[in-house]
Amino acid sequence: MADGSANVGYLGVTRSLSGRLWRQRAAAPEITRSHQLNHGLSEPLARALASRGVTPETCADFLNPTLKALFPDPSSFADMDRAAEILVDALQARKRVVVFADYDVDGASSAALIVRWFRVMGLELSIYVPDRMTEGYGPSPAAFRHLKAEGADLVITVDCGAAAHDALACAAEIGLNVVVIDHHLMRPGEIPAVAALVNPNRPDDTSGQGHLAAAGVAFVLLAALNREARRRSLFSGPEPDLRAWLDLAAMGAICDVTQLVGFNRALAAQGLKVMSGWANPGLSALMDVAKAKGPASVFHVGYLLGPRINAGGRIGRSDLGARLLSTDDPEEAAVLAGELDALNASRKQVEAEVQEAAIRNIERESNQADAPCLVVAEDDWHPGVIGIVAGRLRERYRKPVIVIGIDRAADVGKGSGRSQPGVNLGRAVQAAYEEGLLLAGGGHAMAAGLSVRPGAIPELRAFLCERMADEAQAAAAEDGLDIDALVTTRGADRGLWTEFQRLAPFGPGNPEPVFAAADVRVERPMALRGGHVRVTLTDGSGGRLKAVAWRCEDTEIGRRLLQEGGAVHVVGKLKPDDWQGREGVELEIEDVADPRAR
């Protein structure tokens, strides 16, 4: 049996072909036994629950997350009651209300939630989404002046606004009331003067719901609006059924990669059930253009629906996603979904071109790939895809990466970075800004954005490498892959996959289960278009397990899989394989290790 200690490495693997240590997820034996006895679970599943921090007291709610058990009191959010009063006042006075949304899925979902509630109440709201290229992120003084001139009485910002101090000051000057619905981190003492600011991450909020996406905050706001409207006896018939819009709350929670724990887990789990009815015309139309079907899953949301909604904000018209999710017209939804699908195809092509160029850039430099931080820049890289590319390169090189697209005409480079656990990229970028190396910059531990003069990029690269050298070295030593259970090719079947689906939905705070298979042989390797590799795995159990490794053909993992023969250890995630009704599984390979090289 494999040793799960970090010193030895799971299956003895201290350095895999991707350079990682393999570890067994740590779980308290007494909690594992409690889950087994109290809930009738197998040892591997009970152990997986314990390793994810699920206690005996929280196990029942984790396995069956319900809104009834986990919904927070809206009044526990700072300014929530005040926001509800202001918005219901606007409803009764028939004011001109504009929803100002961020251009990503969370912003679009949040906007659609609020628009749909007001529509049921008889008031149609306008949606404004800033253009990523010309306006940038969040509210600006110019945007608020434009909305005021257009006759807006009240603006509701969603998934943005909490840090827009200049814009909010401008709104106060021109007499434009603003209610902020946000979830981004705020610094102490940074609560702007505004009609209401609802954000579980504002310094004085005590709701304990800081892991919510903006769509989750907006969903709680709808409960507060129902309560306020009920208090004023505004319902002549049934109240708006908030459960019908749980699909939108789930979209924001999953696509914004939030911690799927507690109430947020209930939103995602129950929202996927609602989504599976495909009653939202926009989501149904997106499924049609994606040529997908079946009950909604995290895969549908994260890989089919979300990227298409985001495509409008990345390389197209920024308001397409919010319009799609808020429309009740199937014909309009079909047209918008078609536009977003085409934009997503263009986005993938642009992304692939930038990624290939970035890899060439990194690897033609004799020492850059070995640096603590990779900073890669070229002319005319599209700012809408550089963040995605930075994330891909971070996965490939296992270190912080910043990708910069240079606009020579404007003499500016716009950069986006993604970091490795244990390396605080946002802090390093902030230090570079304070050092005068950047025009603008900021972020958090795992992601950052910046603007820089092209001529300063070499100095910026040197500064960041020196600044992050110690953290990067420590992070590389701790870079590991956490494994839930050891399986055989015969035992990795549909029954095992179904059993572990009791942990779903997966995401941050509840990672998808990872399985290891020892001493397997690789048969029938095949390189696929896109750099993927497909194989069949066999071992002494007599089973045959289909497996695929994505985007790996030109890596050590891909080269080893394509060799065929010879025993290897593999680690990956089980996925359903329903092709032609077979109800099987396949393994998505995450890592490979040579048993002889430990």
Side-chain angles (χ1 to χ4, degrees), residues 144-372:
F144 278 168
R145 289 192 185 96
H146 168 75
L147 293 176
K148 179 68 173 179
E150 291 286 310
D153 299 308
L154 172 67
V155 171
I156 309 168
T157 70
V158 290
D159 195 28
C160 59
H165 299 285
D166 291 344
L168 295 176
C170 173
E173 290 174 8
I174 62 178
L176 179 63
N177 283 332
V178 178
V179 170
V180 175
I181 308 298
D182 205 348
H183 71 125
H184 292 97
L185 295 176
M186 298 177 65
R187 296 178 181 176
E190 284 195 351
I191 301 176
V194 66
L197 193 156
V198 182
N199 181 348
N201 286 306
R202 61 182 276 177
D204 59 343
D205 187 274
T206 58
S207 66
Q209 299 293 329
H211 50 278
L212 290 178
V217 182
F219 193 81
V220 177
L221 172 66
L222 300 195
L225 291 173
N226 265 3
R227 187 172 63 183
E228 180 64 19
R230 187 185 315 124
R231 187 181 69 80
R232 301 189 194 188
S233 301
L234 297 186
F235 298 124
S236 56
E239 297 181 7
D241 183 4
L242 306 188
R243 293 171 299 178
W245 304 323
L246 276 166
D247 49 3
L248 296 172
M251 287 293 299
I254 293 168
C255 290
D256 228 47
V257 200
T258 59
Q259 294 279 319
L260 297 185
V261 297
F263 170 58
N264 206 34
R265 174 173 168 81
L267 282 179
Q270 300 302 325
L272 288 173
K273 293 178 182 178
V274 171
M275 194 184 300
S276 295
W278 303 112
N280 182 293
L283 293 177
S284 178
L286 273 187
M287 283 289 281
D288 289 342
V289 298
K291 297 180 173 60
K293 59 182 179 179
S297 67
V298 170
F299 172 78
H300 288 109
V301 173
Y303 294 93
L304 299 180
L305 304 176
R308 286 172 168 81
I309 294 170
N310 275 331
R314 290 191 182 280
I315 63 171
R317 289 169 47 203
S318 57
D319 65 344
L320 290 178
R323 288 171 56 200
L324 177 82
L325 296 183
S326 58
T327 185
D328 289 322
D329 182 349
E331 291 186 5
E332 181 186 18
V335 171
L336 292 171
E339 287 187 60
L340 287 168
D341 187 57
L343 287 169
N344 189 55
S346 299
R347 185 273 305 169
K348 287 193 286 188
Q349 181 178 349
V350 171
E351 176 192 326
E353 292 170 354
V354 172
Q355 182 173 326
E356 290 170 8
I359 291 172
R360 289 196 302 269
N361 184 307
I362 290 169
E363 297 187 352
R364 73 169 175 250
E365 299 290 336
S366 60
N367 62 350
Q368 185 169 336
D370 297 325

Side-chain angles (χ1 to χ4, degrees), residues 460-520:
L460 172 66
R461 179 185 292 114
F463 176 88
L464 292 175
C465 285
E466 181 180 358
R467 179 88 183 187
M468 291 189 280
D470 291 343
E471 282 187 0
Q473 183 177 5
E478 290 296 317
D479 186 17
L481 189 57
D482 294 313
I483 298 164
D484 288 287
L486 183 66
V487 298
T488 64
T489 57
R490 181 179 292 277
D493 59 12
R494 188 64 171 231
L496 181 67
W497 175 82
T498 300
E499 179 185 15
F500 272 80
Q501 283 301 295
R502 295 192 66 182
L503 302 181
F506 304 113
N510 180 32
E512 188 171 352
V514 174
F515 300 97
D519 295 315
V520 296

